[in-house]
Amino acid sequence: MENKNNFLLLPSFQNRTVKGDVRKKISIIALMTTVIWGGLVSGCSFAPDYHKPTAKDIKDMPVAYKEGGAWTSAQPADEAPRGAWWKIFDDTHLNDLEDRIEKNSPQLAEALARYQRSQAYVKEVRSGLFPSISVNSSISRQRVFRNPGSTYSPYIYSPSIAGGGISYEADIWGRIRNMVKAGKAMAEASAADMGSIRLSLQAELADNYMQLRGLDAQAALYRETVAAYMRALQLTVARHDGGAVSGVDVERARMQLSATRSELSQVMAHRALLEHAIAVLIGEQPSNFSIEPVDMINTPPVIPVSAPSQLLERRPDIASAERQMAAANAAIGSAIAAFFPTISLSANGGSDSAASSLLSAPSGFWALGPAMGVLPLFQGGRRRARVKEARADFDATAASYRDTVLKAFQEVEDQMALANWLANAHADQEFAVTAAKRANNLATIRYKEGAANYLEVVIAQTAELQNRRQALIIQTQRLQAGVGLIRAFGGGWKAS
């Protein structure tokens, strides 16, 4: 028979006295039979077979990178720093800043909290695989009239009940187990997301730090140039006072000096913004944070290049996308399990007394029996729609995984192309700097000897400053490309 809660009660047995041992035994046998039968078929699962994608499953997996160029491909160089990958730049100040990210970054703390939440959800879902045990008790005061309208005083008593129960849902169709699988996969995806956030923060900090050191080198260049221009101005004023040059040369020297000071101020403004950004990344107040400037910029290190096939293990975003595929695959099994009834096993027992004390003439009661959920005969295609929805979610995560892999290879190729071409650009720029210095020296000598006007000196000075500054910019970009390349390879993260 069907009740209002859409549950079909299988044969169950109840007793409210201390008698009825035969019926009690029959109930226990029926309960044990159901448990055993449920255990025999508990391995059933409707989730499709899932195989973690490997390098062989990636279409057209390259043997080597296209933009490898001078880089050594297919040689991971595992002896190089992997966990603390920033140590390859050999900068103690950078090492200290990177260590502070792990301790103080609010973004990383948020990612950790999300991961802990996903772990808690797995434990919550897994609890459905175990029986639920509860206890209850109640004491009340009741008044009952023996006969309505009677002159007799009402009957007053204090019933008390104490008991407990145990219930268990047999996961015959794998609904709960697939939910646990999906939860575990999403927790692993959350761990990979935390690794991705950590890597992004580390790379962003290193990138900002390289820019800041590049600006330090530019500021040192401008200060050196300002000092040289001040000497040139003094020379021009002296020659003007001696009647050797006109006032035009003096004003050109002053213009050159003021313009260079203005560029120095712009560089310092940009540096201040980067310093503030670094403070926020490591969880510090910008007002209380500062980085001492240096005059030199580091030389780009040799970046160890992993083989293309290892990219699947070294990129946290790829690992996260794959785990989301696994979770979506398990969700299909849970959706299909909704087509089948759920079977619950329950047992209740306790003591019931009409007196205020449970020890005063109590009567025992117990109830045993399984209950099977009744499936509605018609829902307008709701369950089929949910299965289609779950399959569509899996297809979407599979497409997202392929897209993530493609973008990962693009980022590696991009950064390797930048690193290679910027290395060539820096070598050519160094020749340009050397030529500009010689031209400036010759122009100054010619001006002192009266063979050229100051315009020639201004042009030569501007050319030298621009070329030296451009060399520093390219050197900074090479360092940034090194950071980007390590980030593209997954930094120190590994799926295992």
Side-chain angles (χ1 to χ4, degrees):
M1 63 182 292
E2 185 177 5
N3 66 0
K4 62 180 180 179
N5 292 322
N6 282 338
F7 276 93
L8 179 65
L9 299 179
L10 297 181
S12 62
F13 303 89
Q14 300 183 14
N15 187 11
R16 297 194 60 84
T17 68
V18 295
K19 299 179 180 181
D21 291 338
V22 175
R23 285 178 292 177
K24 181 176 181 181
K25 292 178 180 179
I26 295 175
S27 299
I28 295 175
I29 293 172
L31 182 62
M32 292 177 64
T33 303
T34 307
V35 171
I36 294 173
W37 176 72
L40 291 175
V41 299
S42 61
C44 179
S45 176
F46 297 104
D49 292 336
Y50 179 77
H51 302 285
K52 183 177 180 180
T54 62
K56 295 180 179 179
D57 300 320
I58 304 298
K59 182 180 179 181
D60 300 328
M61 170 66 73
V63 179
Y65 294 106
K66 172 185 175 183
E67 300 291 344
W71 301 96
T72 302
S73 62
Q75 293 185 8
D78 287 333
E79 70 279 0
R82 285 293 188 182
W85 55 264
W86 52 86
K87 291 184 178 179
I88 199 172
F89 293 96
D90 194 23
D91 191 314
T92 55
H93 205 140
L94 175 62
N95 296 343
D96 176 66
L97 293 173
E98 293 286 1
D99 291 339
R100 292 164 73 178
I101 274 189
E102 193 72 25
K103 301 175 183 177
N104 303 325
S105 172
Q107 296 183 53
L108 194 58
E110 178 184 358
L112 177 61
R114 294 184 185 279
Y115 171 59
Q116 292 172 338
R117 183 185 184 281
S118 65
Q119 286 185 312
Y121 174 74
V122 174
K123 294 180 180 179
E124 176 186 352
V125 176
R126 188 186 288 121
S127 65
L129 296 173
F130 301 94
S132 175
I133 302 175
S134 62
V135 295
N136 61 81
S137 63
S138 66
I139 300 176
S140 61
R141 184 76 169 171
Q142 299 186 19
R143 184 174 70 169
V144 179
F145 288 93
R146 292 184 174 86
N147 295 307
S150 172
T151 58
Y152 293 101
S153 60
Y155 176 63
I156 300 175
Y157 66 103
S158 302
S160 57
I161 299 174
I166 180 172
S167 62
Y168 172 69
E169 178 182 341
D171 189 30
I172 298 175
W173 319 114
R175 182 183 67 86
I176 298 177
R177 281 176 286 113
N178 280 316
M179 290 177 64
V180 172
K181 287 181 181 179
K184 289 179 65 177
M186 290 306 297
E188 292 167 352
S190 180
D193 289 338
M194 184 172 65
S196 185
I197 291 174
R198 177 184 285 109
L199 177 59
S200 296
L201 292 172
Q202 292 169 347
E204 184 179 357
L205 171 60
D207 187 88
N208 288 344
Y209 182 81
M210 298 308 171
Q211 291 186 62
L212 184 138
R213 289 313 187 196
L215 293 176
D216 281 347
Q218 290 185 45
L221 171 62
Y222 279 118
R223 293 189 186 96
E224 176 187 338
T225 305
V226 166
Y229 287 179
M230 289 181 65
R231 292 192 296 270
L233 176 59
Q234 293 172 358
L235 173 63
T236 305
V237 170
R239 288 174 58 82
H240 174 266
D241 293 343
V245 297
S246 66
V248 175
D249 289 350
V250 175
E251 296 306 319
R252 283 173 177 165
R254 287 174 177 168
M255 173 197 68
Q256 189 84 335
L257 176 61
S258 298
T260 305
R261 283 174 172 168
S262 173
E263 292 178 4
L264 173 60
S265 297
Q266 295 175 51
V267 167
M268 297 307 296
H270 192 188
R271 185 191 189 279
L273 298 183
L274 286 172
E275 193 175 63
H276 300 163
I278 291 174
V280 173
L281 283 173
I282 63 175
E284 298 283 347
Q285 285 287 350
S287 302
N288 302 328
F289 178 79
S290 62
I291 299 177
E292 291 296 325
V294 295
D295 295 341
M296 300 295 294
I297 187 170
N298 292 339
T299 301
V302 176
I303 307 297
V305 177
S306 299
S309 60
Q310 292 187 338
L311 197 63
L312 305 184
E313 286 288 322
R314 300 214 64 90
R315 291 270 302 212
D317 55 342
I318 293 179
S320 175
E322 184 276 323
R323 289 289 81 198
Q324 291 179 39
M325 282 178 58
N329 185 80
I332 295 175
S334 296
I336 297 176
F339 281 90
F340 300 88
T342 59
I343 296 180
S344 300
L345 311 176
S346 62
N348 295 280
S351 177
D352 185 356
S353 175
S356 59
S357 173
L358 290 173
L359 301 179
S360 176
S363 62
F365 66 91
W366 54 265
L368 295 172
M372 181 176 69
V374 173
L375 294 175
L377 296 178
F378 179 74
Q379 284 188 322
R382 178 187 300 174
R383 285 169 294 165
R384 286 190 175 88
R386 287 179 177 173
V387 173
K388 290 182 179 179
E389 179 183 347
R391 294 188 184 278
D393 286 341
F394 176 80
D395 292 340
T397 55
S400 176
Y401 174 80
R402 292 192 297 270
D403 182 63
T404 302
V405 171
L406 287 174
K407 288 181 177 178
F409 278 102
Q410 177 193 353
E411 290 177 8
V412 172
E413 296 286 3
D414 287 348
Q415 297 304 321
M416 294 185 77
L418 280 174
N420 287 325
W421 288 108
L422 286 172
N424 295 337
H426 187 261
D428 292 334
Q429 189 62 39
E430 287 297 325
F431 285 113
V433 169
T434 301
K437 287 181 178 179
R438 287 198 298 261
N440 188 17
N441 290 334
L442 292 173
T444 303
I445 293 173
R446 283 170 52 82
Y447 176 70
K448 290 179 179 178
E449 295 177 351
N453 59 24
Y454 199 74
L455 179 59
E456 184 176 322
V457 175
V458 170
I459 294 174
Q461 289 176 337
T462 302
E464 180 184 352
L465 176 60
Q466 290 178 347
N467 280 279
R468 291 179 65 184
R469 179 173 179 270
Q470 187 62 32
L472 293 175
I473 291 175
I474 294 175
Q475 185 82 331
T476 303
Q477 290 174 341
R478 291 183 65 194
L479 289 168
Q480 290 178 268
V483 173
L485 184 58
I486 295 177
R487 179 179 181 177
F489 282 134
W493 195 89
K494 197 170 185 180
S496 60

